[in-house]
Every structure is written in C-alpha cells, then in structure tokens.
Amino acid sequence: MKLFLDTANISEIEKGLQWGVISGVTTNPSLVAKEKASSFHEHVKKIAEIVKGPVSAEVISTKTDDMIKEARVLSALDPNIVIKIPMTKEGMSATKKLSEEGVPINVTLVFSPQQALLAALAGATYVSPFIGRLDDIGEDGVGLVYDISKLFLVHDFNTQIIAASIRHPRHVFEVAAAGAHIITLPFKVLEQMFNHPLTNIGIKKFLEDWEVYIKDHGN
Ligand code: G3P
C-alpha cells in the first residue's frame, strides 16, 4: 500500500517526500491551474524530477486522437509520467491504444464499479475512484473502493486502485481497509494524519520527566 500526494504544489511535494511517506503524485487540471505555473509541461517535468516515482498528469483533450497526441508529449517529459485520462468512451479508446504501447494510464473520474471494470478492460494501470465527491452527494465513496477491489480480485485484474478525492484521515483508513492499493491525499489530510493529542501529551510528559531526572542526576 502506498501514499501519493494529490497536489501540483512543489513545496508540499518536497515536504511530503522529506517526511518519508510519499512515493508518488497525482495532479489534475484544477490543481495545476492553482499553481499558476508559466509552463504546464515544465511544471510537470519538475514534479517528476523531484518525486522519482509515478506522477499522474491529465490530458485535457476530449477526442481520442487528441488525447493520444497530448499523452505522447507528456510521456516524453519523464519516464515516471503516468497519463491521466477521464472515464469516457473516447478516453477508453485512448487508454487501450496507449496501454498497448506501454504507456501507463490512470483512468480518472470513476464513480461506479462498472466504470472501473471498463478501465481495467481497456488496459489501465491505475483506476481512480473519487471518494469524497460521492460522499458529497450522499453516496458511499468507501463502498465503491470495496466493490472495485472485490471485482478486481475475483477476476484477477492487475489494475491498481488509487483512492482519490480524499477529504479526511478517516477516509484514509477506510479506503485502505477496503482494498485501495494507493491513496492520493491532499497535503492537509497528510498533515492531519500525523496528529493525535495523546502523542503531543506523551512527548511533553517524557521531556518533563527527563528534565527532572537530569536535574537530580546530571548527565
Ligand atoms: O485529483 C483527483 C481528486 O483527488 C480530486 O479531489 O477534492 O477535487 O474532489 P477533489
């Protein structure tokens, strides 16, 4: 099981890597736009150089041929680039073609087990169910991960599940238990995962007790 960061922010990526728990990054057009980088391609290349693990970069075309052209340009930026393609008919045609050429594809905007099945059949390396966005409309995001995991296990698919659209640390535990191979996190959720009041209280108490001991006995 692996954790990725769902961000295009360089400083967040550097911190996540420094903490030793992040092994990949996913981006999407909204996340990249937020960074206001002067060149999308240069920015993605920079991320891939820093991460040295899978970095998903999304195509913005909607037609198969245009997606394939875009994917080839993105792929050439770094060997670790994974192409993110939306779950559409055009997208699955592009997924099939690119997968056959050995380009790793992450099928995104997946909201049902049926869509995940289509992505796997088209040859996707990864499939990204959006947990939080399903919860937002009163559906069961974690349940979706469980269903996809079961389908892939029963039918022996190699496609890996990247649980995306994660809103809080509880989601992380739940999707991991439901069978996600990878969880891609907003930086805020990664930071929240470190925190527990009893850890802080525990550290404070250990240091206080140590101070008393040192005062009484010296080094
Ligand atoms: O990157 C895809 C997904 O994680 C987006 O999440 O928070 O926009 O629903 P969110």
Side-chain angles (χ1 to χ4, degrees):
M1 211 239 97
K2 291 175 181 163
L3 293 181
F4 288 4
L5 266 180
D6 196 26
T7 183
N9 183 280
I10 301 289
S11 142
E12 290 181 353
I13 292 167
E14 284 173 342
K15 280 184 198 151
L17 290 170
Q18 202 180 350
W19 294 336
V21 292
I22 293 300
S23 50
V25 162
T26 55
T27 67
N28 63 36
S30 309
L31 292 170
V32 174
K34 214 167 90 180
E35 298 308 311
K36 299 184 172 41
S38 52
S39 154
F40 166 50
H41 288 156
E42 282 309 310
H43 195 71
V44 168
K45 195 172 155 65
K46 190 172 174 187
I47 293 173
E49 279 163 7
I50 296 170
V51 176
K52 297 185 177 65
V55 173
S56 290
E58 190 158 340
V59 296
I60 42 133
S61 304
T62 53
K63 299 287 174 211
T64 303
D65 287 349
D66 297 336
M67 286 179 182
I68 291 172
K69 274 185 215 147
E70 246 192 275
R72 289 196 176 127
V73 174
L74 286 167
S75 267
L77 295 173
D78 191 282
N80 283 322
I81 298 287
V82 173
I83 306 300
K84 224 171 168 188
I85 292 185
M87 167 39 69
T88 59
K89 290 171 188 152
E90 297 274 348
M92 291 314 95
S93 300
T95 298
K96 175 82 176 160
K97 172 93 179 118
L98 290 161
S99 296
E100 280 171 355
E101 289 174 12
V103 177
I105 306 296
N106 173 1
V107 173
T108 187
L109 290 164
V110 165
F111 293 97
S112 74
Q114 294 86 341
Q115 289 180 324
L117 203 52
L118 293 172
L121 288 169
T125 304
Y126 306 101
V127 63
S128 289
F130 277 27
I131 312 315
R133 292 193 196 184
L134 274 176
D135 287 1
D136 290 346
I137 59 161
E139 294 198 20
D140 180 7
V142 174
L144 173 61
V145 174
Y146 177 81
D147 289 341
I148 297 171
S149 172
K150 194 172 164 195
L151 272 182
F152 285 4
L153 198 67
V154 168
H155 296 289
D156 211 16
F157 283 111
N158 290 326
T159 305
Q160 294 191 51
I161 303 167
I162 303 183
S165 183
I166 298 294
R167 298 273 191 265
H168 48 72
R170 178 86 200 166
H171 266 160
V172 179
F173 156 69
E174 288 176 341
V175 294
H181 303 92
I182 296 159
I183 306 169
T184 190
L185 305 166
F187 185 74
K188 189 185 103 185
V189 177
L190 175 63
E191 277 202 305
Q192 286 174 327
M193 282 174 67
F194 282 94
N195 298 334
H196 195 286
L198 290 179
T199 304
N200 300 338
I201 290 166
I203 290 171
K204 191 167 173 276
K205 178 83 173 88
F206 286 154
L207 292 179
E208 281 167 4
D209 291 347
W210 192 252
E211 279 306 311
V212 172
Y213 168 73
I214 292 293
K215 216 169 140 196
D216 293 348
H217 299 91
N219 279 326

